[in-house]
Amino acid sequence: MSATATAVSAQGSDSPFPLEKDDLLSAYRTMKTIREFEDRLHVDFARGDIPGFVHLYAGEEAAATGIMMHLTDEDRIASTHRGHGHCIAKGVSVHEMMGEIYGKVSGACRGKGGSMHIADLSKGMMGANGILGAGAPLACGAALAAKKLGHKGVGISFVGDGASNQGMFLESLNLAGVWELPVIFVVENNGYAESTSVDWAVASDSYVDRANGFGLPGVTVDGTDFFAVHEAAGEMIRRARDGGGPSLLECKMIRFHGHFEGDAQTYRAEGEVEDIRNNRDCIKMFADRVSEAGVISRVETDAVDAEVATLIDSAVEQAKAAPLPDTADLLTDVYVKY
Amino acid sequence: MARKSFRQALNEALRHEMARDDNVIVLGEDVCGGAGASGEQDAWGGAFGVTKGLLAEFGPERIMDTPITESAFIGAAAGAAMTGLRPVAEIMFVDFLGVCFDQIFNQAAKVRYMFGGKAVTPLVIRASFGAGARSASQHSQALYPLFTHIPGLKVVIPSNPYDAKGLLIEAIRDDDPVIFLENKMLYDSEGEVPDGAYTVPFGEAGILREGDDATIVALGRMTAVAETAAVRLANDGIDCTIIDPRTVSPLDEDTILDFVADTGRLVIVDEAYPRCGTAADISSIVAEKAFHDLKAPILKVTPPHAPVPYAPQLEEAFLPDTRDVEAAVRSVMEGA
């Protein structure tokens, strides 16, 4: 991967990073918003405030943020069951998201989808998905539509390490290659397929090898390193926009929480979660780097933290106060016309 | 009006809609045929020749061969439908939809509802179905009850060339996902088909014949079986109404209930399996809503609860035939 292309934008600035200060602050704000959103859900779920179950993205924020910073609303993403981070980074309103998770009419899907189906097509967010691996063909379709409609949009398919074993994901790698689609397959490898270790469940040692097997280039990055993700994703997205076809990005990342909230996680090693929280927190690492480089001060990140906490407070408050769906909504929007 | 085959009627529907709307694309295995090979392109035009000639007229950007990968290309068609195209995907045999069920019933069928009405999925999935071609258990089923079961899908079963063209145009213009099933034994059947574009609305049954004694509901190829039986019955003074629902989702319940109110007798002829099938569904609707109109028990004429066999005499025994229909109607007429 070439760092020079991304570095161009920051030439002449004071930032030693390939991003201007405003963009770095924006990246920090996005990551922090995801973390605060998930941390709040963790607490509210335990209290019994949330009607359904949730899968939290905390610990994985650098991946969604590093990728989505390259995208516009014309770029479509197909997300996973662990989709809150993707939604936030893609620009879906946290108020609408929280409303949805609380099952209220103020929700992104008017309370009909819940955590696993949050979508906002106007933002290019084609939905979280309760079926593992199912987003890959959909992202291929969005990429096909972008190509046919003549805009420069790309499709991004997110899949976990576990769902990467699904036939429809592997079929999509092949189809994207055959049709030369502008699509990027992002494997978010957090080490666990639900409770099952990736080392056990994936026969191949390397996702890059898997991609290569389908004729696609692939890259593995440290998914906790925002800058590594940002650079690698930028390269792949540019390539896809320029007609260079599909590719695969494996982000090796970590999951702070269980597969779902309420998961006792007895399958994890003793001390594992404390260790990753203390030593591999992608947001802490990002904040340290930008502050040590003298680009963003602690005062500035503290200000963002406060701003984000207020935002999530208001999202929760609004969600709790919002009206429940009307029973008549049960039968609306099954069809456009029937 | 010219006489045209069922196949040609479908081909015309696709041509009209592709010419009318650039966002209509066709995709599927061998819908052109010969992709990447050194010989003829458009060698097949689909497994049954329905899409033949579209490549020359619309080019490879509008009609795309796919690898053998139903899950990926049906999902891609759904994703493309969600983001601005109107794909018509062809699955050679409805039996193959088993490998891509998720994309049909968890994705395409549900995104509008799950997303609170904020998505449309104008997708048509065409597939052949039906027994009679000695194609055995995995290429002969009539699986439309599976799709009828799923809220969000529309299910269309044309029985003749005129309806085939009008219903397919309607399907392509429809903003919901439509499963469009073509009985493979009908592709060569002929009928009057106008040259221009026209639509046949969903949820409006066709009345193929009117008679006061008994009502027969029949779908797809079974309408012809019912008509032959009705002619024989008429010779014996038993006059039947034949209703072709044309779409099983939505289903024109009103027309069926109206005729049952008149005749008091109902026979349902269907090629799908009997358990949880279309005949069972219609039977339960009539039993619930028109029980007091009935002068005799409802009878279903369907294949048995068994896979479709290969050997010709077994396959003939599997399918409902005119004698079965005749016998059922005579049975509901007993004591009349």
Side-chain angles (χ1 to χ4, degrees), chain A residues 108-109 113 117 121 129 131 134 137 141 145 148-149 168 171 175 179 330 332-333 335-338, chain B residues 23 61 65 69 71-72 76 80 83 102-103 107 113-118 152-154 176 249-250:
Chain A
C109 309
H117 305 299
L121 289 161
N129 211 310
I131 306 296
K148 301 265 178 220
L149 295 169
M168 53 189 154
E171 287 185 34
L175 186 65
W179 279 349
L330 175 67
T332 58
D333 295 321
Y335 295 90
V336 175
K337 193 181 86 191
Y338 195 61
Chain B
N23 291 335
E61 294 297 311
D65 276 338
T69 186
S71 207
T83 53
D102 177 70
Q103 292 296 334
Q107 312 300 328
Y113 191 80
M114 292 192 303
F115 299 171
K118 292 181 186 166
L153 298 178
K154 292 175 178 171
D176 291 309
S249 181

mmCIF file of all heavy atoms in Angstrom, chain A residues 108-109 113 117 121 129 131 134 137 141 145 148-149 168 171 175 179 330 332-333 335-338, chain B residues 23 61 65 69 71-72 76 80 83 102-103 107 113-118 152-154 176 249-250:
data_model
loop_
_atom_site.group_PDB
_atom_site.id
_atom_site.type_symbol
_atom_site.label_atom_id
_atom_site.label_comp_id
_atom_site.label_asym_id
_atom_site.label_seq_id
_atom_site.Cartn_x
_atom_site.Cartn_y
_atom_site.Cartn_z
ATOM 1 N N ALA A 108 -35.112 4.651 13.401
ATOM 2 C CA ALA A 108 -34.720 4.685 11.991
ATOM 3 C C ALA A 108 -35.669 3.849 11.136
ATOM 4 O O ALA A 108 -35.867 4.136 9.955
ATOM 5 C CB ALA A 108 -33.288 4.177 11.833
ATOM 6 N N CYS A 109 -36.234 2.811 11.706
ATOM 7 C CA CYS A 109 -37.152 1.931 10.969
ATOM 8 C C CYS A 109 -38.532 1.939 11.620
ATOM 9 O O CYS A 109 -39.274 0.961 11.530
ATOM 10 C CB CYS A 109 -36.598 0.513 10.907
ATOM 11 S SG CYS A 109 -34.906 0.407 10.319
ATOM 12 N N GLY A 113 -37.559 -2.687 13.027
ATOM 13 C CA GLY A 113 -36.347 -3.445 12.712
ATOM 14 C C GLY A 113 -35.543 -3.818 13.943
ATOM 15 O O GLY A 113 -35.056 -4.924 14.074
ATOM 16 N N HIS A 117 -31.527 -4.517 12.372
ATOM 17 C CA HIS A 117 -31.994 -4.123 11.038
ATOM 18 C C HIS A 117 -31.980 -2.621 10.834
ATOM 19 O O HIS A 117 -32.700 -2.110 9.974
ATOM 20 C CB HIS A 117 -33.396 -4.685 10.787
ATOM 21 C CG HIS A 117 -33.449 -6.167 10.969
ATOM 22 N ND1 HIS A 117 -32.699 -7.028 10.194
ATOM 23 C CD2 HIS A 117 -34.089 -6.941 11.862
ATOM 24 C CE1 HIS A 117 -32.910 -8.267 10.603
ATOM 25 N NE2 HIS A 117 -33.739 -8.243 11.625
ATOM 26 N N LEU A 121 -31.186 4.150 3.918
ATOM 27 C CA LEU A 121 -30.720 4.102 2.532
ATOM 28 C C LEU A 121 -30.301 5.475 2.031
ATOM 29 O O LEU A 121 -29.455 5.579 1.155
ATOM 30 C CB LEU A 121 -31.801 3.487 1.641
ATOM 31 C CG LEU A 121 -31.990 1.979 1.886
ATOM 32 C CD1 LEU A 121 -33.324 1.497 1.350
ATOM 33 C CD2 LEU A 121 -30.861 1.183 1.270
ATOM 34 N N ASN A 129 -27.731 -6.648 9.563
ATOM 35 C CA ASN A 129 -28.347 -7.862 9.035
ATOM 36 C C ASN A 129 -28.298 -8.968 10.064
ATOM 37 O O ASN A 129 -27.246 -9.233 10.651
ATOM 38 C CB ASN A 129 -27.621 -8.294 7.749
ATOM 39 C CG ASN A 129 -28.568 -8.986 6.794
ATOM 40 O OD1 ASN A 129 -29.283 -9.907 7.193
ATOM 41 N ND2 ASN A 129 -28.595 -8.539 5.552
ATOM 42 N N ILE A 131 -28.768 -12.038 9.383
ATOM 43 C CA ILE A 131 -28.318 -13.287 8.769
ATOM 44 C C ILE A 131 -26.839 -13.141 8.419
ATOM 45 O O ILE A 131 -26.459 -12.302 7.598
ATOM 46 C CB ILE A 131 -29.144 -13.612 7.510
ATOM 47 C CG1 ILE A 131 -30.650 -13.617 7.826
ATOM 48 C CG2 ILE A 131 -28.692 -14.941 6.904
ATOM 49 C CD1 ILE A 131 -31.130 -14.679 8.800
ATOM 50 N N ALA A 134 -25.077 -12.489 4.829
ATOM 51 C CA ALA A 134 -26.083 -12.138 3.820
ATOM 52 C C ALA A 134 -25.842 -10.773 3.185
ATOM 53 O O ALA A 134 -26.365 -10.493 2.110
ATOM 54 C CB ALA A 134 -27.480 -12.178 4.434
ATOM 55 N N PRO A 137 -23.807 -10.451 -0.852
ATOM 56 C CA PRO A 137 -24.469 -10.325 -2.157
ATOM 57 C C PRO A 137 -25.165 -8.979 -2.330
ATOM 58 O O PRO A 137 -25.181 -8.427 -3.431
ATOM 59 C CB PRO A 137 -25.491 -11.471 -2.146
ATOM 60 C CG PRO A 137 -24.991 -12.451 -1.146
ATOM 61 C CD PRO A 137 -24.299 -11.632 -0.108
ATOM 62 N N GLY A 141 -24.739 -6.181 -5.263
ATOM 63 C CA GLY A 141 -25.840 -5.590 -6.026
ATOM 64 C C GLY A 141 -25.771 -4.076 -6.047
ATOM 65 O O GLY A 141 -26.019 -3.439 -7.075
ATOM 66 N N ALA A 145 -25.364 -1.772 -9.283
ATOM 67 C CA ALA A 145 -26.243 -0.635 -9.577
ATOM 68 C C ALA A 145 -25.421 0.630 -9.798
ATOM 69 O O ALA A 145 -25.688 1.399 -10.727
ATOM 70 C CB ALA A 145 -27.253 -0.434 -8.448
ATOM 71 N N LYS A 148 -23.992 0.445 -13.239
ATOM 72 C CA LYS A 148 -24.997 0.609 -14.304
ATOM 73 C C LYS A 148 -25.534 2.032 -14.337
ATOM 74 O O LYS A 148 -25.847 2.557 -15.393
ATOM 75 C CB LYS A 148 -26.183 -0.341 -14.087
ATOM 76 C CG LYS A 148 -25.809 -1.791 -14.067
ATOM 77 C CD LYS A 148 -25.994 -2.431 -15.424
ATOM 78 C CE LYS A 148 -25.567 -3.877 -15.380
ATOM 79 N NZ LYS A 148 -24.837 -4.286 -16.568
ATOM 80 N N LEU A 149 -25.711 2.620 -13.165
ATOM 81 C CA LEU A 149 -26.285 3.966 -13.109
ATOM 82 C C LEU A 149 -25.229 5.029 -13.373
ATOM 83 O O LEU A 149 -25.539 6.213 -13.460
ATOM 84 C CB LEU A 149 -26.962 4.192 -11.750
ATOM 85 C CG LEU A 149 -28.176 3.295 -11.477
ATOM 86 C CD1 LEU A 149 -28.624 3.387 -10.016
ATOM 87 C CD2 LEU A 149 -29.335 3.622 -12.415
ATOM 88 N N MET A 168 -22.564 -17.825 0.883
ATOM 89 C CA MET A 168 -22.940 -16.620 0.137
ATOM 90 C C MET A 168 -21.864 -15.548 0.171
ATOM 91 O O MET A 168 -21.745 -14.760 -0.756
ATOM 92 C CB MET A 168 -24.307 -16.072 0.529
ATOM 93 C CG MET A 168 -24.565 -15.820 1.961
ATOM 94 S SD MET A 168 -26.348 -15.435 2.166
ATOM 95 C CE MET A 168 -26.591 -15.929 3.853
ATOM 96 N N GLU A 171 -19.274 -17.004 -2.367
ATOM 97 C CA GLU A 171 -19.845 -16.844 -3.715
ATOM 98 C C GLU A 171 -19.738 -15.392 -4.178
ATOM 99 O O GLU A 171 -19.521 -15.114 -5.357
ATOM 100 C CB GLU A 171 -21.325 -17.248 -3.727
ATOM 101 C CG GLU A 171 -21.565 -18.739 -3.640
ATOM 102 C CD GLU A 171 -23.047 -19.090 -3.776
ATOM 103 O OE1 GLU A 171 -23.766 -18.402 -4.523
ATOM 104 O OE2 GLU A 171 -23.489 -20.042 -3.118
ATOM 105 N N LEU A 175 -18.317 -13.757 -7.603
ATOM 106 C CA LEU A 175 -19.176 -12.974 -8.502
ATOM 107 C C LEU A 175 -18.605 -11.566 -8.702
ATOM 108 O O LEU A 175 -18.586 -11.049 -9.819
ATOM 109 C CB LEU A 175 -20.598 -12.886 -7.939
ATOM 110 C CG LEU A 175 -21.624 -12.210 -8.852
ATOM 111 C CD1 LEU A 175 -21.845 -13.019 -10.129
ATOM 112 C CD2 LEU A 175 -22.961 -12.010 -8.132
ATOM 113 N N TRP A 179 -17.668 -10.147 -12.368
ATOM 114 C CA TRP A 179 -18.322 -8.934 -12.901
ATOM 115 C C TRP A 179 -17.470 -7.671 -12.687
ATOM 116 O O TRP A 179 -17.905 -6.576 -13.016
ATOM 117 C CB TRP A 179 -19.682 -8.750 -12.232
ATOM 118 C CG TRP A 179 -20.778 -9.594 -12.813
ATOM 119 C CD1 TRP A 179 -20.739 -10.329 -13.967
ATOM 120 C CD2 TRP A 179 -22.105 -9.770 -12.275
ATOM 121 N NE1 TRP A 179 -21.952 -10.949 -14.171
ATOM 122 C CE2 TRP A 179 -22.815 -10.625 -13.155
ATOM 123 C CE3 TRP A 179 -22.764 -9.291 -11.144
ATOM 124 C CZ2 TRP A 179 -24.141 -11.008 -12.936
ATOM 125 C CZ3 TRP A 179 -24.083 -9.668 -10.924
ATOM 126 C CH2 TRP A 179 -24.760 -10.519 -11.809
ATOM 127 N N LEU A 330 -48.483 -2.634 12.537
ATOM 128 C CA LEU A 330 -48.185 -4.050 12.298
ATOM 129 C C LEU A 330 -48.346 -4.413 10.829
ATOM 130 O O LEU A 330 -47.602 -5.223 10.291
ATOM 131 C CB LEU A 330 -49.144 -4.892 13.150
ATOM 132 C CG LEU A 330 -49.102 -6.406 12.987
ATOM 133 C CD1 LEU A 330 -47.779 -6.965 13.478
ATOM 134 C CD2 LEU A 330 -50.258 -7.054 13.733
ATOM 135 N N THR A 332 -48.515 -2.188 8.139
ATOM 136 C CA THR A 332 -48.070 -1.240 7.115
ATOM 137 C C THR A 332 -46.709 -1.652 6.576
ATOM 138 O O THR A 332 -45.911 -2.290 7.261
ATOM 139 C CB THR A 332 -47.954 0.188 7.681
ATOM 140 O OG1 THR A 332 -47.047 0.173 8.788
ATOM 141 C CG2 THR A 332 -49.303 0.715 8.143
ATOM 142 N N ASP A 333 -46.476 -1.301 5.313
ATOM 143 C CA ASP A 333 -45.167 -1.487 4.658
ATOM 144 C C ASP A 333 -44.733 -2.944 4.500
ATOM 145 O O ASP A 333 -43.544 -3.230 4.382
ATOM 146 C CB ASP A 333 -44.073 -0.684 5.380
ATOM 147 C CG ASP A 333 -44.330 0.814 5.261
ATOM 148 O OD1 ASP A 333 -44.769 1.239 4.179
ATOM 149 O OD2 ASP A 333 -44.115 1.531 6.241
ATOM 150 N N TYR A 335 -45.919 -4.454 1.917
ATOM 151 C CA TYR A 335 -45.768 -4.276 0.470
ATOM 152 C C TYR A 335 -45.860 -2.792 0.156
ATOM 153 O O TYR A 335 -46.396 -2.014 0.951
ATOM 154 C CB TYR A 335 -46.908 -4.979 -0.282
ATOM 155 C CG TYR A 335 -46.920 -6.486 -0.139
ATOM 156 C CD1 TYR A 335 -47.627 -7.096 0.888
ATOM 157 C CD2 TYR A 335 -46.237 -7.295 -1.038
ATOM 158 C CE1 TYR A 335 -47.656 -8.480 1.015
ATOM 159 C CE2 TYR A 335 -46.261 -8.676 -0.917
ATOM 160 C CZ TYR A 335 -46.963 -9.274 0.110
ATOM 161 O OH TYR A 335 -46.981 -10.632 0.232
ATOM 162 N N VAL A 336 -45.395 -2.403 -1.011
ATOM 163 C CA VAL A 336 -45.688 -1.058 -1.507
ATOM 164 C C VAL A 336 -47.175 -1.003 -1.831
ATOM 165 O O VAL A 336 -47.874 -0.042 -1.502
ATOM 166 C CB VAL A 336 -44.850 -0.749 -2.765
ATOM 167 C CG1 VAL A 336 -45.239 0.602 -3.349
ATOM 168 C CG2 VAL A 336 -43.354 -0.783 -2.435
ATOM 169 N N LYS A 337 -47.662 -2.073 -2.473
ATOM 170 C CA LYS A 337 -49.075 -2.164 -2.862
ATOM 171 C C LYS A 337 -49.450 -3.632 -2.882
ATOM 172 O O LYS A 337 -48.681 -4.453 -3.362
ATOM 173 C CB LYS A 337 -49.229 -1.566 -4.274
ATOM 174 C CG LYS A 337 -50.652 -1.310 -4.696
ATOM 175 C CD LYS A 337 -50.688 -0.753 -6.119
ATOM 176 C CE LYS A 337 -50.691 -1.876 -7.135
ATOM 177 N NZ LYS A 337 -50.481 -1.480 -8.511
ATOM 178 N N TYR A 338 -50.635 -3.979 -2.339
ATOM 179 C CA TYR A 338 -51.036 -5.396 -2.320
ATOM 180 C C TYR A 338 -52.510 -5.518 -2.601
ATOM 181 O O TYR A 338 -53.300 -4.810 -2.006
ATOM 182 C CB TYR A 338 -50.706 -6.000 -0.951
ATOM 183 C CG TYR A 338 -50.719 -7.509 -0.893
ATOM 184 C CD1 TYR A 338 -49.839 -8.253 -1.676
ATOM 185 C CD2 TYR A 338 -51.591 -8.185 -0.056
ATOM 186 C CE1 TYR A 338 -49.820 -9.649 -1.603
ATOM 187 C CE2 TYR A 338 -51.581 -9.574 0.024
ATOM 188 C CZ TYR A 338 -50.686 -10.303 -0.755
ATOM 189 O OH TYR A 338 -50.657 -11.681 -0.674
ATOM 190 N N ASN B 23 -33.321 1.028 -16.557
ATOM 191 C CA ASN B 23 -32.918 0.420 -15.290
ATOM 192 C C ASN B 23 -33.341 -1.033 -15.172
ATOM 193 O O ASN B 23 -32.987 -1.703 -14.201
ATOM 194 C CB ASN B 23 -33.479 1.225 -14.113
ATOM 195 C CG ASN B 23 -32.797 2.582 -14.001
ATOM 196 O OD1 ASN B 23 -31.661 2.736 -14.448
ATOM 197 N ND2 ASN B 23 -33.490 3.549 -13.443
ATOM 198 N N GLU B 61 -24.438 -5.180 -21.159
ATOM 199 C CA GLU B 61 -24.618 -4.384 -19.940
ATOM 200 C C GLU B 61 -26.020 -4.568 -19.360
ATOM 201 O O GLU B 61 -26.254 -4.314 -18.185
ATOM 202 C CB GLU B 61 -24.402 -2.892 -20.245
ATOM 203 C CG GLU B 61 -22.976 -2.535 -20.641
ATOM 204 C CD GLU B 61 -21.995 -2.820 -19.516
ATOM 205 O OE1 GLU B 61 -22.258 -2.394 -18.378
ATOM 206 O OE2 GLU B 61 -20.988 -3.488 -19.784
ATOM 207 N N ASP B 65 -24.995 -12.804 -18.092
ATOM 208 C CA ASP B 65 -24.832 -14.179 -17.612
ATOM 209 C C ASP B 65 -24.184 -14.147 -16.236
ATOM 210 O O ASP B 65 -23.387 -13.248 -15.938
ATOM 211 C CB ASP B 65 -23.933 -14.966 -18.572
ATOM 212 C CG ASP B 65 -24.717 -15.540 -19.752
ATOM 213 O OD1 ASP B 65 -25.943 -15.704 -19.625
ATOM 214 O OD2 ASP B 65 -24.090 -15.811 -20.788
ATOM 215 N N THR B 69 -24.294 -19.588 -9.205
ATOM 216 C CA THR B 69 -24.091 -19.009 -7.882
ATOM 217 C C THR B 69 -25.364 -18.272 -7.459
ATOM 218 O O THR B 69 -25.394 -17.060 -7.298
ATOM 219 C CB THR B 69 -22.827 -18.093 -7.920
ATOM 220 O OG1 THR B 69 -22.501 -17.615 -6.649
ATOM 221 C CG2 THR B 69 -23.006 -16.912 -8.866
ATOM 222 N N SER B 71 -27.161 -17.921 -4.835
ATOM 223 C CA SER B 71 -27.192 -17.120 -3.623
ATOM 224 C C SER B 71 -26.602 -15.737 -3.876
ATOM 225 O O SER B 71 -27.145 -14.722 -3.434
ATOM 226 C CB SER B 71 -26.401 -17.839 -2.539
ATOM 227 O OG SER B 71 -26.869 -17.496 -1.291
ATOM 228 N N ALA B 72 -25.481 -15.696 -4.575
ATOM 229 C CA ALA B 72 -24.813 -14.413 -4.832
ATOM 230 C C ALA B 72 -25.592 -13.574 -5.834
ATOM 231 O O ALA B 72 -25.778 -12.374 -5.632
ATOM 232 C CB ALA B 72 -23.385 -14.647 -5.320
ATOM 233 N N ALA B 76 -27.444 -10.197 -5.156
ATOM 234 C CA ALA B 76 -26.991 -9.007 -5.887
ATOM 235 C C ALA B 76 -28.176 -8.337 -6.571
ATOM 236 O O ALA B 76 -28.276 -7.109 -6.611
ATOM 237 C CB ALA B 76 -25.914 -9.384 -6.906
ATOM 238 N N ALA B 80 -29.236 -4.612 -5.865
ATOM 239 C CA ALA B 80 -29.350 -3.658 -6.976
ATOM 240 C C ALA B 80 -30.758 -3.053 -7.001
ATOM 241 O O ALA B 80 -30.932 -1.870 -7.303
ATOM 242 C CB ALA B 80 -29.029 -4.353 -8.302
ATOM 243 N N THR B 83 -31.126 -0.288 -4.652
ATOM 244 C CA THR B 83 -30.303 0.892 -4.918
ATOM 245 C C THR B 83 -30.502 1.427 -6.337
ATOM 246 O O THR B 83 -29.611 2.049 -6.898
ATOM 247 C CB THR B 83 -28.807 0.585 -4.676
ATOM 248 O OG1 THR B 83 -28.432 -0.577 -5.434
ATOM 249 C CG2 THR B 83 -28.538 0.305 -3.207
ATOM 250 N N ASP B 102 -32.317 -17.612 1.605
ATOM 251 C CA ASP B 102 -32.111 -16.493 2.525
ATOM 252 C C ASP B 102 -32.290 -15.154 1.828
ATOM 253 O O ASP B 102 -32.937 -14.249 2.345
ATOM 254 C CB ASP B 102 -30.736 -16.535 3.176
ATOM 255 C CG ASP B 102 -30.572 -15.315 4.062
ATOM 256 O OD1 ASP B 102 -31.254 -15.279 5.104
ATOM 257 O OD2 ASP B 102 -29.861 -14.369 3.694
ATOM 258 N N GLN B 103 -31.664 -15.048 0.650
ATOM 259 C CA GLN B 103 -31.711 -13.760 -0.046
ATOM 260 C C GLN B 103 -33.127 -13.417 -0.472
ATOM 261 O O GLN B 103 -33.477 -12.249 -0.600
ATOM 262 C CB GLN B 103 -30.759 -13.785 -1.256
ATOM 263 C CG GLN B 103 -29.289 -13.857 -0.851
ATOM 264 C CD GLN B 103 -28.819 -12.629 -0.087
ATOM 265 O OE1 GLN B 103 -29.372 -11.544 -0.235
ATOM 266 N NE2 GLN B 103 -27.806 -12.789 0.746
ATOM 267 N N GLN B 107 -34.102 -11.366 3.005
ATOM 268 C CA GLN B 107 -33.603 -10.067 2.533
ATOM 269 C C GLN B 107 -34.673 -9.396 1.664
ATOM 270 O O GLN B 107 -35.376 -8.513 2.121
ATOM 271 C CB GLN B 107 -32.272 -10.240 1.774
ATOM 272 C CG GLN B 107 -31.236 -11.112 2.492
ATOM 273 C CD GLN B 107 -30.807 -10.602 3.868
ATOM 274 O OE1 GLN B 107 -30.778 -9.398 4.104
ATOM 275 N NE2 GLN B 107 -30.467 -11.502 4.775
ATOM 276 N N TYR B 113 -40.321 -3.814 5.103
ATOM 277 C CA TYR B 113 -40.975 -3.842 6.420
ATOM 278 C C TYR B 113 -39.976 -3.538 7.534
ATOM 279 O O TYR B 113 -40.207 -2.681 8.382
ATOM 280 C CB TYR B 113 -41.601 -5.218 6.633
ATOM 281 C CG TYR B 113 -42.528 -5.290 7.829
ATOM 282 C CD1 TYR B 113 -43.827 -4.819 7.746
ATOM 283 C CD2 TYR B 113 -42.098 -5.833 9.037
ATOM 284 C CE1 TYR B 113 -44.691 -4.891 8.831
ATOM 285 C CE2 TYR B 113 -42.953 -5.909 10.128
ATOM 286 C CZ TYR B 113 -44.249 -5.438 10.026
ATOM 287 O OH TYR B 113 -45.097 -5.512 11.093
ATOM 288 N N MET B 114 -38.848 -4.256 7.503
ATOM 289 C CA MET B 114 -37.851 -4.090 8.571
ATOM 290 C C MET B 114 -37.324 -2.665 8.640
ATOM 291 O O MET B 114 -36.928 -2.203 9.697
ATOM 292 C CB MET B 114 -36.654 -5.025 8.340
ATOM 293 C CG MET B 114 -36.954 -6.490 8.494
ATOM 294 S SD MET B 114 -35.453 -7.505 8.544
ATOM 295 C CE MET B 114 -34.634 -7.100 7.002
ATOM 296 N N PHE B 115 -37.273 -2.000 7.477
ATOM 297 C CA PHE B 115 -36.718 -0.655 7.448
ATOM 298 C C PHE B 115 -37.817 0.408 7.581
ATOM 299 O O PHE B 115 -37.626 1.574 7.240
ATOM 300 C CB PHE B 115 -35.917 -0.413 6.159
ATOM 301 C CG PHE B 115 -34.725 -1.342 5.980
ATOM 302 C CD1 PHE B 115 -34.022 -1.362 4.786
ATOM 303 C CD2 PHE B 115 -34.299 -2.188 6.997
ATOM 304 C CE1 PHE B 115 -32.930 -2.211 4.607
ATOM 305 C CE2 PHE B 115 -33.210 -3.042 6.820
ATOM 306 C CZ PHE B 115 -32.529 -3.059 5.625
ATOM 307 N N GLY B 116 -38.972 -0.007 8.050
ATOM 308 C CA GLY B 116 -40.037 0.956 8.318
ATOM 309 C C GLY B 116 -40.570 1.644 7.072
ATOM 310 O O GLY B 116 -40.970 2.803 7.130
ATOM 311 N N GLY B 117 -40.573 0.919 5.947
ATOM 312 C CA GLY B 117 -41.138 1.475 4.712
ATOM 313 C C GLY B 117 -40.165 2.316 3.917
ATOM 314 O O GLY B 117 -40.535 2.937 2.929
ATOM 315 N N LYS B 118 -38.893 2.320 4.341
ATOM 316 C CA LYS B 118 -37.928 3.206 3.681
ATOM 317 C C LYS B 118 -37.162 2.531 2.541
ATOM 318 O O LYS B 118 -36.181 3.063 2.051
ATOM 319 C CB LYS B 118 -36.961 3.773 4.706
ATOM 320 C CG LYS B 118 -37.654 4.737 5.660
ATOM 321 C CD LYS B 118 -36.677 5.308 6.665
ATOM 322 C CE LYS B 118 -37.395 6.153 7.700
ATOM 323 N NZ LYS B 118 -36.538 6.427 8.845
ATOM 324 N N GLY B 152 -44.473 -10.171 2.078
ATOM 325 C CA GLY B 152 -43.501 -9.325 1.369
ATOM 326 C C GLY B 152 -43.266 -9.780 -0.052
ATOM 327 O O GLY B 152 -42.829 -8.998 -0.885
ATOM 328 N N LEU B 153 -43.549 -11.060 -0.331
ATOM 329 C CA LEU B 153 -43.388 -11.563 -1.701
ATOM 330 C C LEU B 153 -44.737 -11.603 -2.401
ATOM 331 O O LEU B 153 -45.768 -11.854 -1.772
ATOM 332 C CB LEU B 153 -42.811 -12.982 -1.692
ATOM 333 C CG LEU B 153 -41.421 -13.180 -1.083
ATOM 334 C CD1 LEU B 153 -41.047 -14.659 -1.127
ATOM 335 C CD2 LEU B 153 -40.376 -12.338 -1.820
ATOM 336 N N LYS B 154 -44.711 -11.382 -3.697
ATOM 337 C CA LYS B 154 -45.876 -11.633 -4.540
ATOM 338 C C LYS B 154 -45.560 -12.853 -5.397
ATOM 339 O O LYS B 154 -44.406 -13.059 -5.767
ATOM 340 C CB LYS B 154 -46.170 -10.411 -5.417
ATOM 341 C CG LYS B 154 -46.640 -9.210 -4.597
ATOM 342 C CD LYS B 154 -46.824 -7.968 -5.430
ATOM 343 C CE LYS B 154 -47.331 -6.824 -4.557
ATOM 344 N NZ LYS B 154 -47.320 -5.534 -5.256
ATOM 345 N N ASP B 176 -42.628 -4.215 -5.621
ATOM 346 C CA ASP B 176 -42.350 -5.245 -4.618
ATOM 347 C C ASP B 176 -41.647 -6.438 -5.275
ATOM 348 O O ASP B 176 -41.729 -6.616 -6.486
ATOM 349 C CB ASP B 176 -43.673 -5.734 -4.004
ATOM 350 C CG ASP B 176 -44.328 -4.657 -3.142
ATOM 351 O OD1 ASP B 176 -43.626 -4.103 -2.275
ATOM 352 O OD2 ASP B 176 -45.518 -4.375 -3.341
ATOM 353 N N SER B 249 -50.372 -14.834 -4.470
ATOM 354 C CA SER B 249 -50.154 -13.766 -3.496
ATOM 355 C C SER B 249 -49.921 -12.476 -4.286
ATOM 356 O O SER B 249 -48.895 -12.372 -4.948
ATOM 357 C CB SER B 249 -48.943 -14.063 -2.605
ATOM 358 O OG SER B 249 -48.771 -13.035 -1.666
ATOM 359 N N PRO B 250 -50.876 -11.538 -4.293
ATOM 360 C CA PRO B 250 -52.164 -11.584 -3.603
ATOM 361 C C PRO B 250 -53.115 -12.587 -4.264
ATOM 362 O O PRO B 250 -52.978 -12.874 -5.447
ATOM 363 C CB PRO B 250 -52.686 -10.157 -3.753
ATOM 364 C CG PRO B 250 -52.032 -9.622 -4.989
ATOM 365 C CD PRO B 250 -50.687 -10.267 -5.045
#
